[in-house]
Amino acid sequence: QVQLAESGGGLVQPGGSLRLSCTGSGRTLSAYNIGWFRQAPGKEREFVARIRYDNVPIYEDSVRGRFTISRDDAKNTVYLQLNNVKYEDTGVYYCNRVGGRIETMTTGLEAWGQGTLVTVSS
């Protein structure tokens, strides 16, 4: 069993940057597929990006080219770098363990944590 904790959210201006962290405890994340999700006010949680056990990334269309997912095994952490943010990037961002197959990467396998809030505002 692995516990995941999100951090790094905050207030950022349009066009700005922010780095989110997903830190694991209890188990090593290096062999896991980890996904980032977000939930905007009044909307369902949606898939944002995934990094596979072998570091192969997949991005949702609206963030591709602007966001970068990566991992640092020494820190047992998966990062989501948000660049050139837009108003529609606002929401609570969550991470979770997901399946390695494309059809399973949008389903969280662990309990959802508290997330970290990203607010894009001028």
Side-chain angles (χ1 to χ4, degrees):
Q1 182 173 309
V2 62
Q3 292 77 47
L4 302 172
E6 304 92 344
S7 63
L11 179 65
V12 60
Q13 295 182 353
S17 298
L18 207 62
R19 188 179 73 166
L20 309 182
S21 297
C22 174
T23 301
S25 60
R27 296 291 176 87
T28 299
L29 300 183
S30 61
Y32 289 163
N33 314 294
I34 302 295
W36 278 99
F37 304 78
R38 67 187 179 190
Q39 186 170 17
K43 297 184 178 181
E44 296 292 318
R45 184 186 294 113
E46 67 174 351
F47 171 80
V48 176
R50 179 221 74 193
I51 186 166
R52 207 165 65 184
Y53 69 96
D54 57 354
N55 286 339
V56 175
I58 291 181
Y59 299 97
E60 188 265 329
D61 289 344
S62 68
V63 309
R64 188 176 298 110
R66 299 187 299 117
F67 291 8
T68 302
I69 189 168
S70 63
R71 72 200 315 158
D72 185 341
D73 290 340
K75 295 183 177 181
N76 208 30
T77 297
V78 173
Y79 299 103
L80 185 68
Q81 178 70 41
L82 285 60
N83 293 330
N84 192 26
V85 298
K86 304 176 179 180
Y87 289 114
E88 50 264 44
D89 293 323
T90 292
V92 179
Y93 283 70
Y94 304 87
C95 63
N96 210 325
R97 183 172 65 90
V98 300
R101 292 178 289 127
I102 292 177
E103 60 266 35
T104 62
M105 69 179 183
T106 60
T107 301
L109 300 178
E110 307 290 341
W112 295 100
Q114 60 186 0
T116 185
L117 177 63
V118 173
T119 302
V120 182
S121 177
S122 60

